[in-house]
Amino acid sequence: MKTTSTYRKTLTIAALLGASMLTIGCSSGQHAGDINSIRMDPSPSMHTLDQRSSDRVNMHARMKDSNLRMISTDIDKMFYVDRPSRLHHGIKP
């Protein structure tokens, strides 16, 4: 008898939780139901024709990282220390 009561309570709680989950539903975006805002901006997440704003931020981060890693090579080339000088071949005895 006690197990039937526990089973009913568990089933009731599960049903109430399920019903409350159904009433919450999914969150809707900016354009949900507003046809004018859809017509004004049909692709709201796109920053350019082929990129989202997060894609542009990632591209800039890669570019900054590459530039910072290559700066030591550029400095060596600027001061001509990236290879030995060809002006003097050494002293001949």
Side-chain angles (χ1 to χ4, degrees):
M1 181 131 178
K2 193 170 190 178
T3 57
T4 307
S5 174
T6 306
Y7 180 70
R8 283 184 185 172
K9 285 181 184 178
T10 305
L11 194 59
T12 304
I13 291 172
L16 288 174
L17 284 175
S20 66
M21 298 277 273
L22 288 175
T23 57
I24 293 173
C26 300
S27 64
S28 59
Q30 267 181 334
H31 300 308
D34 187 8
I35 194 68
N36 290 327
S37 63
I38 293 172
R39 287 181 182 143
M40 295 299 292
D41 191 12
S43 55
S45 64
M46 300 300 284
H47 190 69
T48 63
L49 289 177
D50 64 340
Q51 290 181 334
R52 298 170 295 175
S53 57
S54 61
D55 294 332
R56 291 189 71 233
V57 169
N58 292 341
M59 181 184 63
H60 290 163
R62 281 193 306 270
M63 180 185 59
K64 183 179 177 182
D65 179 56
S66 296
N67 287 341
L68 288 175
R69 287 186 290 117
M70 291 188 295
I71 196 164
S72 62
T73 306
D74 294 341
I75 290 172
D76 289 346
K77 287 182 180 183
M78 185 174 67
F79 289 114
Y80 300 111
V81 294
D82 60 331
R83 60 181 179 265
S85 175
R86 297 183 199 146
L87 298 176
H88 185 64
H89 293 291
I91 300 173
K92 293 184 181 181

